[in-house]
Amino acid sequence: MPQSNLAPVPELYVSHESALKLKDEAGNLPSWDLTPRQICDLELLMNGGFNPLKGFLSEADYDNVVENMRLADGALWPMPITLDVSEKFAEGLEPGQDIALRDQEGVILAILSVTDKWVPNKAREAEKVFGADDLAHPAVNYLHNVAGPVYLGGPITGIQQPVHYDFKGRRDTPNELRAYFRKLGWRKVVAFQTRNPLHRAHQELTFRAAREAQANLLIHPVVGMTKPGDVDHFTRVRCYEAVLDKYPQSTTTMSLLNLAMRMAGPREAVWHGLIRANHGCTHFIVGRDHAGPGKNSQGQDFYGPYDAQELFKQHADEIGIEMVDFKHMVYVQEKAQYFPVSEVPEGDTVLDISGTELRRRLREGLEIPEWFSFPEVVQELRRTSPPRAKQGFTVFFTGLSGSGKSTIANALMVKLMEMGGRPVTLLDGDVVRKHLSSELGFSKEHRDINIKRIGYVASEITKNGGIAICAPIAPYTATRRAVREMIEAYGAFVEVHVATSIEECEARDRKGLYKLAREGKIKEFTGISDPYEAPTAAELVVDTKDVDVDHCAHQVILKLEAMGLIKA
């Protein structure tokens, strides 16, 4: 039976005295540095947000969750919560061992008593949990290209919670929220999950949901990991705080949830419901296309618009929380107010602005009408997203050795410097190898590290309003995607595929590298003994055969103008 929404939930922390002793002992254990996603998962394991889990899933629990959305004991749980590690780290581990789990600064947060170690079938996990083994899904891409190949399972002993320096007063554990609801005498609480800024339609829908459920309102935004490309959580929380006074203070509160979302649609909705039940909520708003990741490789939505609501309804009793279905709200011009789309009076004019259209208006510095959002929110978004012509961006050239990348990149740099307005930095492959990556070889692992270093530097330049021009070979699709995600958090990423053929590159062979590769004197040479995965969706494709450099650089300039990144 679900517990009372106000009684405490079990946590996995030990007492302060035990924690000090364990911390001392844990110094000698093998230790794993947690990834940002694992830190989010660990926090919610330890504080009871993932109750009834007692640690990272065992292999039996994992298999059952993947296949049936249930733990081995039959309890409902739709999402695999596993500790993925590298092969090298897993090699030295056997079930029965303890390992220390550290944050990114080396602080020990917990001890994992390893009961299981296995290599999962990731294609099966993708198919069952996310509905398709399709890399267009951010969580499937993470599964295959970011997550480690080996999973560890076992119970957790919590030593301390992860440290957060931001919005401390807004972060609550499940038991802190339950105590707050107890103190205020809130028996019914409806939770609103969001990863976007709040606009007027959201306010209207949360008002209606609370009224319909005759409940108090918890605005419960996710500030852990959301979809790549989302507005950063600092900006979003400032937006939430700006509109909080539009809500009745006696019946509304806001708390931040450090969850790493998986964008798993229907399964994610059930998972969100269980998490909110643990936080003391009695009702939960489930959105149209709740936690949907967007389009798949075929350009279709991954999930149907109401799949999440259907799955939630089937399991509502077990989740222990009532669903309030999210009506799509639209603005009716004649009535000057919001209505659910199904209740719009016939013949009236409906006004709506999609997320894509909002981003376009921000990017181009266009007006955002007051019926759509609050002036305070728009002002906050404009601070973070100035018009594109004032933002930093990265131009990322990729192509075979000798294709002409560096030459075009140099020409582009000079043209952009001539225009002025923003600092321009060229991160050429050879120069980066000399100054940033001199210790690296040319294995796939080392190439990936090199490209990610370039991506990291470019993202910092972009974040600070400069222009980064990169010209590495960058032969692997997954690594280029990782760099794109790094940079698009701060500005535009313009991929330019210099598609000069291998025959033309080999005929040029200015450095004599192709000759040495053909003779077997250079191992793992791209295009000869190592693959080059050509981009399929680059912003621009140029071929330098029989075309002068100036023309190619000018094509890039025209593309940047068309994208609004530089003024025509």
Side-chain angles (χ1 to χ4, degrees):
M1 282 295 293
Q3 300 169 46
S4 150
N5 69 309
L6 301 181
V9 288
E11 296 184 350
L12 304 182
Y13 293 109
V14 293
S15 69
H16 181 64
E17 294 72 27
S18 301
L20 291 175
K21 188 164 169 284
L22 279 173
K23 215 168 197 177
D24 205 35
E25 291 167 8
N28 303 315
L29 295 174
S31 62
W32 175 253
D33 292 342
L34 297 160
T35 63
R37 177 150 115 176
Q38 291 167 349
I39 292 173
C40 291
D41 286 350
L42 179 66
E43 179 171 349
L44 285 162
L45 281 169
M46 295 192 297
N47 70 20
F50 285 172
N51 182 54
L53 303 193
K54 297 289 179 266
F56 290 102
L57 297 185
S58 66
E59 188 173 3
D61 280 332
Y62 164 81
D63 288 340
N64 230 10
V65 165
V66 168
E67 296 297 329
N68 315 311
M69 296 205 330
R70 293 186 181 279
L71 301 172
D73 67 6
L76 180 69
W77 190 265
M79 199 60 60
I81 305 296
T82 50
L83 188 73
D84 56 280
V85 298
S86 63
E87 279 174 343
K88 190 176 171 190
F89 182 76
E91 266 168 27
L93 283 182
E94 287 309 322
Q97 264 183 285
D98 284 355
I99 61 170
L101 302 179
R102 298 175 184 264
D103 69 11
Q104 293 180 311
E105 291 177 7
V107 175
I108 298 174
L109 302 178
I111 292 170
L112 169 68
S113 302
V114 180
T115 57
D116 296 71
K117 175 177 95 168
W118 75 101
V119 175
N121 178 346
K122 289 189 174 184
R124 181 75 180 158
E125 183 179 334
E127 197 68 51
K128 295 296 287 183
V129 178
F130 304 110
D133 190 12
D134 181 343
L135 291 175
H137 193 301
V140 175
N141 178 59
Y142 187 96
L143 188 63
H144 288 303
N145 294 320
V146 182
V150 182
Y151 285 178
L152 302 179
I156 288 291
T157 306
I159 291 175
Q160 72 168 71
Q161 54 183 354
V163 179
H164 298 289
Y165 298 110
D166 58 331
F167 307 114
K168 279 176 177 281
R170 294 273 183 210
R171 294 176 183 270
D172 304 285
T173 68
N175 283 331
E176 285 168 347
L177 267 186
R178 284 169 173 246
Y180 179 77
F181 299 154
R182 266 200 311 276
K183 184 179 173 185
L184 294 187
W186 288 10
R187 292 277 162 214
K188 284 180 164 184
V189 183
V190 59
F192 178 57
Q193 137 89 30
T194 180
R195 43 172 260 269
N196 294 311
L198 286 180
H199 301 297
R200 289 189 190 273
H202 300 111
Q203 186 199 34
E204 189 57 41
L205 113 89
T206 50
F207 277 163
R208 280 173 175 253
R211 215 164 39 234
E212 197 176 301
Q214 294 184 315
N216 301 284
L217 176 66
L218 169 67
I219 299 171
H220 210 200
V222 169
V223 295
M225 293 172 72
T226 58
K227 188 180 164 188
D230 278 354
V231 176
D232 70 276
H233 83 264
F234 299 102
T235 303
R236 287 191 290 115
V237 176
R238 289 196 301 271
C239 289
Y240 302 141
E241 290 186 325
V243 298
L244 213 51
D245 61 359
K246 317 271 185 210
Y247 286 87
Q249 281 186 323
S250 58
T251 57
T252 307
T253 190
M254 179 173 84
S255 179
L256 308 181
L257 180 66
N258 199 45
L259 174 71
M261 288 181 70
R262 270 52 165 189
M263 309 306 298
R267 276 197 186 221
E268 182 120 2
V270 172
W271 188 42
H272 287 173
L274 289 163
I275 293 165
R276 278 10 184 265
N278 284 329
H279 282 79
C281 301
T282 54
H283 294 70
F284 182 53
I285 301 170
V286 178
R288 183 178 174 279
D289 192 26
H290 186 96
K295 306 286 184 196
N296 64 16
S297 301
Q298 277 67 54
Q300 308 294 317
D301 286 337
F302 270 96
Y303 312 114
Y306 302 106
D307 288 359
Q309 294 180 359
E310 290 305 317
L311 192 67
F312 198 100
K313 271 181 204 155
Q314 288 170 33
H315 296 285
D317 288 348
E318 263 186 289
I319 296 168
I321 203 166
E322 266 185 63
M323 181 180 90
V324 183
D325 55 350
F326 178 135
K327 316 270 196 309
H328 181 50
M329 305 297 293
V330 290
Y331 186 75
V332 177
Q333 193 172 16
E334 287 79 357
K335 304 281 187 291
Q337 69 188 79
Y338 278 88
F339 283 82
V341 73
S342 56
E343 295 174 24
V344 174
E346 205 172 323
D348 280 5
T349 314
V350 166
L351 301 178
D352 199 10
I353 290 180
S354 67
T356 309
E357 173 62 9
L358 173 64
R359 285 189 290 276
R360 186 188 75 84
R361 289 179 181 225
L362 284 169
R363 202 168 52 231
E364 295 178 17
L366 301 174
E367 187 216 353
I368 294 164
E370 211 163 308
W371 61 259
F372 175 76
S373 193
F374 304 98
E376 302 92 325
V377 171
V378 173
Q379 186 184 347
E380 202 54 67
L381 290 174
R382 288 204 193 281
R383 272 177 59 196
T384 312
S385 308
R388 260 195 159 177
K390 293 181 179 173
Q391 284 179 20
F393 64 88
T394 293
V395 181
F396 191 94
F397 290 93
T398 172
L400 295 165
S401 177
S403 59
K405 301 181 300 301
S406 299
T407 316
I408 303 170
N410 271 298
L412 177 66
M413 177 179 73
V414 172
K415 285 175 183 287
L416 289 170
M417 287 171 94
E418 182 186 354
M419 288 178 187
R422 282 174 280 196
V424 185
T425 306
L426 175 61
L427 298 167
D428 180 63
D430 294 340
V431 175
V432 168
R433 280 267 174 191
K434 183 177 172 187
H435 294 292
L436 273 184
S437 300
S438 56
E439 85 288 8
L440 297 180
F442 288 88
S443 65
K444 181 174 191 313
E445 184 192 3
H446 280 194
R447 288 176 188 214
D448 280 353
I449 293 169
N450 183 50
I451 300 304
K452 283 176 182 169
R453 284 180 187 174
I454 291 173
Y456 171 71
V457 175
S459 74
E460 289 296 306
I461 291 166
T462 302
K463 178 166 75 176
N464 288 290
I467 300 171
I469 302 172
C470 312
I473 294 171
Y476 306 121
T477 305
T479 319
R480 292 195 301 265
R481 176 172 174 163
V483 169
R484 179 184 285 274
E485 286 179 3
M486 242 185 264
I487 288 160
E488 283 185 341
Y490 305 114
F493 179 86
V494 185
E495 186 174 50
V496 181
H497 179 204
V498 185
T500 313
S501 68
I502 180 101
E503 295 76 19
E504 177 66 19
C505 293
E506 203 167 345
R508 293 174 186 171
D509 202 13
R510 284 183 312 189
K511 301 174 189 172
L513 299 175
Y514 283 94
K515 183 171 181 290
L516 294 172
R518 291 283 185 202
E519 291 166 0
K521 290 175 183 169
I522 299 180
K523 303 283 180 253
E524 297 168 320
F525 190 82
T526 303
I528 306 292
S529 51
D530 205 59
Y532 176 76
E533 299 168 1
T536 52
E539 277 71 13
L540 182 66
V541 179
V542 296
D543 185 340
T544 58
K545 189 181 180 188
D546 304 328
V547 181
D548 68 16
V549 173
D550 200 275
H551 176 76
C552 292
H554 193 64
Q555 294 304 109
V556 182
I557 292 284
L558 291 173
K559 184 69 190 175
L560 297 176
E561 281 181 3
M563 290 175 74
L565 292 166
I566 54 178
K567 286 223 162 76

